[in-house]
């Protein structure tokens, strides 16, 4: 359950990375962020922020990881009835969630740190991981551990 919560929280928070600029701090995430220093979290639609291939791939992987997380959760719930088949499917879904949640970290190598802030005075002077990226790392680890435990459980049943 913690892995599912971390997966959905890491993708849907606004503060995946923290950027410091001349005007102060602002946050960005895979799907939305602060477009100017004074803004609240908003969608990137209609903005002039360049999203490179790493950023776009992280978006695709975030969708797949949420689907895999849902599949793993449903398989786990069904597996509580001691159905060996659903436990092995749950292990596969957990490993898929682990893989794709880890791949969302490609966002950290994207142009998100290099872009100018609309209305700002230039690019960010520093870029660091924030709550969303740390949740993504925790989620990746939790999905890996869950997948291993489900695979062991499937063999024992």
């Amino acid at each position: 359950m913690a892995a599912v919560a971390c997966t959905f929280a890491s993708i849907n928070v606004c503060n995946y990375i923290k950027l410091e600029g001349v005007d102060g701090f602002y946050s960005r995430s895979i799907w939305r962020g602060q477009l100017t220093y004074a803004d609240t979290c908003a969608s990137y639609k209609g903005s002039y922020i360049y999203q490179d291939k790493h950023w776009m791939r992280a978006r695709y992987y975030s969708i797949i990881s949420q689907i895999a997380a849902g599949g793993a959760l449903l398989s786990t719930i069904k597996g509580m009835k001691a159905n060996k088949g659903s436990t092995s499917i749950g292990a596969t879904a957990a490993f898929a969630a682990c893989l794709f949640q880890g791949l969302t970290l490609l966002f950290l190598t994207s142009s998100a740190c290099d872009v100018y802030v609309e209305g700002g005075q230039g690019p960010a002077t520093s870029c660091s991981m924030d709550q969303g990226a740390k949740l993504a790392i925790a989620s990746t680890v939790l999905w890996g551990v869950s997948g291993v435990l489900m695979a062991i459980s499937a063999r024992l049943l």
Side-chain angles (χ1 to χ4, degrees):
M1 198 59 150
V4 175
C6 286
T7 297
F8 287 102
S10 72
I11 293 168
N12 295 310
V13 296
C14 189
N15 54 346
Y16 201 91
I17 57 171
K18 184 178 185 179
L19 298 114
E20 182 179 2
V22 177
D23 297 338
F25 292 100
Y26 59 106
S27 298
R28 290 257 160 84
S29 73
I30 295 172
W31 291 98
R32 52 202 177 110
Q34 291 175 288
L35 302 178
T36 65
Y37 291 106
D39 277 347
T40 58
C41 193
S43 173
Y44 295 122
K45 287 184 178 180
S47 71
Y48 299 101
I49 295 176
Y50 172 68
Q51 297 174 1
D52 66 356
K53 64 182 179 181
H54 291 274
W55 194 333
M56 295 308 294
R57 286 181 183 153
R59 287 180 135 195
Y60 301 138
Y61 295 142
S62 72
I63 294 169
I64 297 169
S65 71
Q66 289 184 40
I67 292 169
L73 180 63
L74 291 175
S75 295
T76 303
I77 292 169
K78 188 176 178 187
M80 288 181 186
K81 296 177 183 177
N83 185 346
K84 185 176 180 178
S86 64
T87 307
S88 60
I89 291 170
T92 304
F95 284 127
C98 175
L99 172 69
F100 290 108
Q101 185 65 37
L103 287 171
T104 61
L105 293 168
L106 281 173
F107 181 69
L108 298 174
T109 64
S110 72
S111 63
C113 289
D114 302 333
V115 295
Y116 284 80
V117 180
E118 294 177 9
Q121 298 181 6
T125 55
S126 73
C127 182
S128 59
M129 288 192 315
D130 206 358
Q131 181 182 11
K134 292 173 184 175
L135 282 169
I137 292 169
S139 174
T140 302
V141 171
L142 289 171
W143 280 122
V145 170
S146 296
V148 168
L149 293 175
M150 283 184 201
I152 291 170
S153 174
R155 291 195 181 263
L156 294 177
L157 294 177

